[in-house]
């Protein structure tokens, strides 16, 4: 059982009959950040980097429909996997050095092995058809149907698919497919002709304009702004930052602007800034605890055949007091004449409070301050050094999280509620972090004791997640260590990381749509920036009118 603070009982690992597999979110903590990321920016994923595939995918659906084939997913999948192959092979034949084509590896092999005619076949397990389904639904291009074949919406999907069909319908390949109602063997010339038109790195102007109206719309859907407005706000913020910096911003630029008071907080962007700040809060927690798990696994890997006690491993991981002390001093949390050895958690709590309290600004449930060290991007940067002393900053992340939300955790705001998504099983703020910090404040344990407890909690969290996955699939063992009572044993390496935010892919889409370039925002980008603000103004004005 688990009471949200410390009473945890875990399953014992007996004979291991599972198959070990890899995984990314081995603590289950990135899941919350990913949920917040999707709330702030739908219509794009980390595996949908090419915006033109939205149109190409819609065309797959339309050409299948025009062939008059069965409204059944199995023949649809077979057909579209092959038509997708014709696009990939044709594009590679047209531009051998192009990057970003799904299926390019096998496409090149097929080309090299073929002489005149090329027999097309499915190229990848993860098709464009599937990778871009979620974004297409989010963007209002398509919708789910009972047959499993997504339908094209009248407002966005049909115009996009029809635009591409108009471009390719007179090609020899498409005429043959429409006539023969199958996708089998084509000549190189037929494939090249299609590839020239559907190359993913060349978006015709009329198609670009239509994609812009879909990704950053100026008009609400019939159902209203709700599905689009946070995406519009995110893209508007990215464009605004590029305009202000007069350069293409790095991801760190976005998060640094989000995590401290700025001029953007007084505009219609403040709600989305808070959304991304909540993402950053959860990402910092995930990074901190993954860092701890990596150090635990590294310590056990010193003698991988040996079974060690929980207390011994934790003691070794936090044994470099000098490095931990150096990290705390670098962060401004210890004076040069202060020592880590007798430090208590309240010493650090009060130091953080003194450093941030004078200029803290509270807005919509979240505090921001100007201190350059005590912000999530800086803490993440410290963990990414893999310096053993950085593990000593895990309690600091918890405390910073507490100070961010100490007066806002109970606010009835969707994005703040998402911080506790998953409850105690995902280190929810309300269920775990806030009760734990309050307990620290009452008992004031040694800082080293708190650090040891959080490292132990990290391993407990990993074992819970690993066990839950094995419970649903015996072949899905993601554990990196075995736990039997208080005994730990190494199983495989683990490398810490952080949650993918989708902002890199979003920036890529803005570049592909000619709104950003190497110098920052373009002329077209400034026009879209203005219309983004107009859409936000319309949305928030309507909210004010409704509440009046």
């Amino acid at each position: 059982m688990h009471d949200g603070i410390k009473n945890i009982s875990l399953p014992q690992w007996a004979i291991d009959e599972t198959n070990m597999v890899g995984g990314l979110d081995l603590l289950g903590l990135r899941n919350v950040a990913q949920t917040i990321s999707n709330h702030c920016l739908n219509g794009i994923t980390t595996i949908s980097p090419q915006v033109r595939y939205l149109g190409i995918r819609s065309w797959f659906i339309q050409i299948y429909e025009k062939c008059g084939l069965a409204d059944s997913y199995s023949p649809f999948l077979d057909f579209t996997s092959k038509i997708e192959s014709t696009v990939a092979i044709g594009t590679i034949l047209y531009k051998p050095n192009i990057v970003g084509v799904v299926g390019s590896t096998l496409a090149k092999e097929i080309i090299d092995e073929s002489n005149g005619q090329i027999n097309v076949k499915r190229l990848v397990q993860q098709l464009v058809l599937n990778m871009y389904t979620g974004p297409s639904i989010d963007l209002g291009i398509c919708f789910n149907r009972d047959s499993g074949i997504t339908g094209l919406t009248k407002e966005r999907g049909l115009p996009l698919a029809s635009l591409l069909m108009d471009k390719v319908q007179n090609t020899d390949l498409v005429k043959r497919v429409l006539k023969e109602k199958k996708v089998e063997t084509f000549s190189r010339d037929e494939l090249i002709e299609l590839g020239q038109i559907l190359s993913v790195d060349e978006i015709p102007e009329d198609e670009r304009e239509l994609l812009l109206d879909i990704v950053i719309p100026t008009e609400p859907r019939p159902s209203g702004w709700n599905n689009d407005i946070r995406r519009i706000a995110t893209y508007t913020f990215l464009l605004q930052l590029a305009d202000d910096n007069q350069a293409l911003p790095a991801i760190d630029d976005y998060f640094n602007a989000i995590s401290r008071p700025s001029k953007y907080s007084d505009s219609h962007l403040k709600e989305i800034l808070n959304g991304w700040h909540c993402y950053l809060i959860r990402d910092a927690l995930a990074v901190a605890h993954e860092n701890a798990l990596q150090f635990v696994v590294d310590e056990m890997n010193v003698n991988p055949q040996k079974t060690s006690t929980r207390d011994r491993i934790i003691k070794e991981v936090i044994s470099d007091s000098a490095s931990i002390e150096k990290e705390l001093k670098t962060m401004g949390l210890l004076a040069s004449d202060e020592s880590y050895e007798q430090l208590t958690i309240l010493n650090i709590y009060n130091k953080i409070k003194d450093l941030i309290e004078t200029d803290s600004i509270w807005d919509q449930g979240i505090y921001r301050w100007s201190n350059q060290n005590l912000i999530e991007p800086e803490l993440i940067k410290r963990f990414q050094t893999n310096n053993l002393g950085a593990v000593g900053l895990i309690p600091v992340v918890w405390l910073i999280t507490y100070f961010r939300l100490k007066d806002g955790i109970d606010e009835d705001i969707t994005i703040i509620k998402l911080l506790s998504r998953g409850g105690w099983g995902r280190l929810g703020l309300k269920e775990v972090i806030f009760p734990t910090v309050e307990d620290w404040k009452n008992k004031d344990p040694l800082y080293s004791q708190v650090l040891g407890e959080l490292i132990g909690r990290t391993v407990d969290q990993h074992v819970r997640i690993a066990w839950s996955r094995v419970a649903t699939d015996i072949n899905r063992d993601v554990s990196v260590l075995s736990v039997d009572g208080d005994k730990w044993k190494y199983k495989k390496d683990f490398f810490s990381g952080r949650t993918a935010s989708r902002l890199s892919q979003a920036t890529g889409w803005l570049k592909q749509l000619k709104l950003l370039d190497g110098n920052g925002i373009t002329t077209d980008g400034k026009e879209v920036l203005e219309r983004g603000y107009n859409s936000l103004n319309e949305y928030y004005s309507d909210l004010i009118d409704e509440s009046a």
Side-chain angles (χ1 to χ4, degrees):
M1 296 182 61
H2 187 283
D3 63 3
I5 301 179
K6 60 182 179 181
N7 298 320
I8 305 168
S9 60
L10 297 170
Q12 292 188 345
W13 291 74
I15 299 172
D16 190 350
E17 298 178 345
T18 63
N19 297 317
M20 290 200 299
V21 297
L24 288 176
D25 191 14
L26 301 191
L27 291 172
L29 300 182
R30 297 190 195 183
N31 176 270
V32 185
Q34 288 168 343
T35 299
I36 295 172
S37 173
N38 188 53
H39 178 78
C40 294
L41 178 60
N42 68 6
I44 191 169
T45 67
T46 56
I47 59 169
S48 59
Q50 298 290 341
V51 70
R52 197 180 187 198
Y53 272 131
L54 294 171
I56 293 173
R57 182 190 180 279
S58 68
W59 172 71
F60 293 161
I61 297 170
Q62 188 170 82
I63 191 173
Y64 182 80
E65 180 188 9
K66 286 186 176 294
C67 285
L69 299 172
D71 187 17
S72 175
Y73 189 71
S74 181
F76 170 74
L77 184 62
D78 180 66
F79 178 93
T80 51
S81 66
K82 291 178 180 178
I83 203 74
E84 182 175 316
S85 175
T86 66
V87 174
I89 294 172
T91 302
I92 297 296
L93 284 168
Y94 168 54
K95 283 186 175 180
N97 296 320
I98 191 174
V99 296
V101 175
V102 175
S104 61
T105 300
L106 186 54
K108 290 176 181 178
E109 292 178 9
I110 290 173
I111 290 169
D112 290 342
E113 294 170 0
S114 302
N115 294 320
Q117 297 289 306
I118 294 179
N119 185 36
V120 298
K121 63 181 180 180
R122 181 170 180 161
L123 299 177
V124 290
Q125 185 65 31
Q126 184 71 295
L127 296 166
V128 166
L129 176 73
N130 298 326
M131 287 192 291
Y132 287 78
T133 296
S136 295
I137 292 173
D138 286 342
L139 292 167
I141 296 171
C142 67
F143 58 92
N144 288 316
R145 297 173 61 246
D146 291 341
S147 67
I149 303 174
T150 51
L152 297 172
T153 63
K154 178 176 63 177
E155 298 82 10
R156 296 177 181 178
L158 283 173
L160 185 59
S162 298
L163 184 64
L164 270 77
M165 181 62 83
D166 288 344
K167 297 178 187 299
V168 301
Q169 62 185 356
N170 291 321
T171 63
D172 290 340
L173 188 150
V174 170
K175 285 191 288 188
R176 277 187 56 197
V177 170
L178 291 172
K179 179 180 179 181
E180 299 172 5
K181 306 190 186 308
K182 62 181 181 179
V183 185
E184 298 293 345
T185 303
F186 302 98
S187 70
R188 288 178 176 242
D189 288 343
E190 287 174 321
L191 290 161
I192 290 172
E193 184 184 21
L194 183 69
Q196 286 178 318
I197 298 172
L198 296 182
S199 179
V200 294
D201 67 341
E202 297 178 9
I203 306 177
E205 185 60 23
D206 54 354
E207 189 180 340
R208 184 181 77 93
E209 288 292 336
L210 190 51
L211 285 169
L212 275 174
D213 286 338
I214 291 171
V215 175
I216 311 174
T218 56
E219 299 291 335
R221 304 186 205 185
S223 59
W225 281 112
N226 193 51
N227 289 326
D228 294 317
I229 199 64
R230 289 182 296 276
R231 177 182 354 103
I232 294 171
T234 293
Y235 282 117
T236 301
F237 173 58
L238 298 182
L239 291 169
Q240 182 64 68
L241 201 58
D243 191 24
D244 291 345
N245 292 358
Q246 295 186 347
L248 189 65
I251 297 302
D252 285 346
D253 295 327
Y254 300 137
F255 287 131
N256 284 330
I258 286 163
S259 59
R260 58 172 67 101
S262 70
K263 64 182 181 181
Y264 309 116
S265 301
D266 294 325
S267 69
H268 288 323
L269 295 174
K270 65 180 179 180
E271 182 178 348
I272 203 63
L273 294 184
N274 275 6
W276 281 109
H277 199 163
C278 287
Y279 164 86
L280 195 54
I281 288 167
R282 289 299 319 199
D283 188 34
L285 285 165
V287 169
H289 286 278
E290 287 194 16
N291 187 263
L293 183 61
Q294 177 178 329
F295 285 134
V296 166
V297 172
D298 288 349
E299 178 59 34
M300 290 190 296
N301 196 21
V302 172
N303 191 346
Q305 302 304 316
K306 181 180 179 181
T307 299
S308 301
T309 66
R310 174 190 184 103
D311 289 346
R312 190 195 75 78
I313 294 297
I314 291 175
K315 184 177 179 180
E316 286 297 323
V317 169
I318 65 174
S319 63
D320 192 349
S321 299
S323 293
I324 294 174
E325 182 175 301
K326 182 178 179 181
E327 287 290 336
L328 291 171
K329 288 180 176 178
T330 298
M331 299 296 291
L333 298 175
L334 272 183
S336 58
D337 58 347
E338 291 179 313
S339 170
Y340 164 73
E341 298 295 341
Q342 297 304 314
L343 189 69
T344 71
I345 192 67
L346 276 182
N347 294 146
I348 296 297
Y349 177 95
N350 290 326
K351 182 61 72 73
I352 292 174
K353 183 179 179 181
D354 291 342
L355 288 170
I356 66 175
E357 200 170 47
T358 55
D359 66 351
S360 286
I361 298 173
W362 189 83
D363 186 46
Q364 295 185 350
I366 300 176
Y367 280 103
R368 289 184 175 85
W369 46 79
S370 61
N371 187 288
Q372 300 295 299
N373 290 324
L374 300 176
I375 56 175
E376 292 82 2
E378 184 60 29
L379 287 163
I380 289 171
K381 188 185 302 182
R382 300 308 306 161
F383 285 116
Q384 289 178 327
T385 65
N386 285 326
N387 180 342
L388 190 56
V391 77
L393 298 177
I394 299 175
V396 175
V397 175
W398 280 51
L399 292 173
I400 291 298
T401 299
Y402 178 85
F403 279 110
R404 290 289 192 196
L405 278 299
K406 67 184 181 71
D407 293 323
I409 192 63
D410 293 318
E411 289 287 313
D412 187 20
I413 299 173
T414 298
I415 198 67
I416 289 180
K417 291 178 179 178
L418 286 176
L419 287 166
S420 298
R421 183 179 183 273
W424 69 264
R426 292 291 190 273
L427 299 187
L429 268 63
K430 292 188 72 169
E431 296 82 1
V432 179
I433 291 178
F434 270 60
T436 302
V437 172
E438 293 295 342
D439 192 53
W440 294 345
K441 290 166 65 178
N442 291 331
K443 297 177 180 176
D444 193 22
L446 286 173
Y447 190 84
S448 58
Q449 179 185 335
V450 168
L451 179 55
E453 289 175 354
L454 291 182
I455 291 172
R457 185 189 285 271
T458 300
V459 174
D460 296 342
Q461 178 72 16
H462 170 63
V463 173
R464 269 198 305 274
I465 292 298
W467 186 258
S468 68
R469 293 178 186 175
V470 168
T472 58
D473 182 355
I474 192 66
N475 294 310
R476 197 182 181 201
D477 181 9
V478 298
S479 60
V480 297
L481 71 164
S482 298
V483 174
D484 187 359
D486 70 341
K487 301 295 193 302
W488 292 353
K489 186 177 181 181
Y490 170 88
K491 287 181 74 172
K492 62 181 178 181
D493 288 345
F494 173 74
F495 301 98
S496 59
R498 65 179 301 188
T499 315
S501 67
R502 313 174 189 206
L503 290 176
S504 293
Q505 288 75 22
T507 302
W509 280 21
L510 293 177
K511 290 174 68 178
Q512 293 163 39
L513 293 169
K514 300 180 181 178
L515 306 184
L516 295 179
D517 61 22
N519 297 317
I521 195 168
T522 64
T523 301
D524 285 351
K526 290 185 178 182
E527 292 180 5
V528 174
L529 174 61
E530 182 178 357
R531 81 184 203 183
Y533 277 121
N534 289 339
S535 296
L536 291 171
N537 185 60
E538 180 180 340
Y539 171 74
Y540 284 107
S541 296
D542 288 346
L543 286 185
I544 293 171
D545 291 341
E546 289 173 7
S547 62

